[in-house]
Amino acid sequence: MLEENLKKVQEEIEESCRKAGRDPKDVTLIAVSKTKPAEDIMELYRAGQRDFGENYVQELREKAEELPKDIRWHMIGHLQRNKVKYIAGYIDMIHSVDSLALAETISKEAAKHDRVIPILLEVNVAGEDTKFGLSPEEVPAMAEAISHLPNVVLRGFMTSAPFVDDPEENRVHFRKLAHLSVDSTSKNHDNNMVDVLSMGMSNDYKVAVEEGATMVRVGTSIFGARDYTNHG
Ligand SMILES: *Cc1c(COP(=O)(O)O)cnc(C)c1O
C-alpha cells in the first residue's frame, strides 16, 4: 500500500523532471514520517526509501534509535536550540535553520561529535505571518555569518509554501527561492556549497520540481493523512 504510494510519487517526480528537462537523479524524495509509526517507515525502507523527514526531536530520537542506521534523517520542523544536542550525533541535514543563534548552537554541538552538519536556511518567501523562516532580505548576511562557523556547512535553502487549492499559485514562491539560491552561489563563501533547494510538499511538489527543487518533502501522499492526537 505505502509502497504503491511511494512509486506513484516517484513517477510523478520523474514526469515533472521530463517536463522541465531535468535529470530525476537530481531530485531527492524525502518521505515525511512525522506522527507515523516505525512499521510504516520500515515498509518504505524495504522498498528502498532511505531519506526520511521528521518535525519533532523526541520522536526523531526514538525512531533513529530503533530503525536501521543507514536511514538518512532530515530535521524539517522548527528546532529549539536546547534540543539540538539530542540530534547532533546523527542528523543528516537540518532544513529549518532560521537564526544565527541556532546555527551557532548546531555548530557547537556538531563539534562535540567531531562532525560537520549540513544545514539549510528556512526562508519565508511568501511572507506569511504564521510561518517561521527568514525574509529573503535577511539571507545574504546570514549566509555570510554562517560561513565562519566551523562545524556547519550551508548547503542551501528551504521553504514551505502556503497551503493553496491550486499549486500553480505557489510557482512564484518556488521561483523566488531558486533565484535566491543562484544569487548566493555567485557569492561563494568559503564554508558554503549551496546546491540544495528543499521545496514542495504533497500539494505542490510537482510544480516545485519544475522550478528546480532538489529535495521534495512529501508526507500525506505517501503515508496518508496524519493524526496529531498525541502531538503538541
Ligand atoms: C509536514 C511537513 C511536510 C509534509 O507535508 P505533506 O503535505 O503531508 O506532504 C513537509 N515539510 C514540512 C516542513 C512539514 O512540516
Side-chain angles (χ1 to χ4, degrees), residues 108-151:
K108 210 175 75 196
E109 294 297 331
K112 291 181 188 165
H113 295 273
D114 199 22
R115 62 186 298 246
V116 172
I117 298 181
I119 62 170
L120 305 179
L121 288 179
E122 180 170 359
V123 187
N124 183 359
V125 271
E128 289 176 284
D129 292 343
T130 53
K131 289 253 169 82
F132 292 108
L134 303 163
S135 71
E137 293 72 28
E138 291 173 297
V139 165
M142 190 73 77
E144 208 283 321
I146 284 173
S147 72
H148 300 294
L149 299 176
N151 291 76

Side-chain angles (χ1 to χ4, degrees), residues 10 21 25-26 29 31 42-43 45 50 53 60 67-68 70 79 87 101 103 142 146 149 151 177 217 221:
Q10 285 167 340
K25 285 199 208 64
D26 294 337
L29 170 58
M42 276 314 293
E43 191 176 334
Y45 179 87
R50 290 294 179 274
L60 171 57
L67 290 162
D70 62 339
L79 180 57
I87 60 172
M142 190 73 77
I146 284 173
L149 299 176
N151 291 76
L177 197 70
R217 310 179 308 268
S221 292

Side-chain angles (χ1 to χ4, degrees), residues 26-42:
D26 294 337
V27 182
T28 301
L29 170 58
I30 298 172
V32 176
S33 45
K34 64 178 174 225
T35 79
K36 298 295 179 181
E39 304 91 81
D40 285 8
I41 296 177
M42 276 314 293

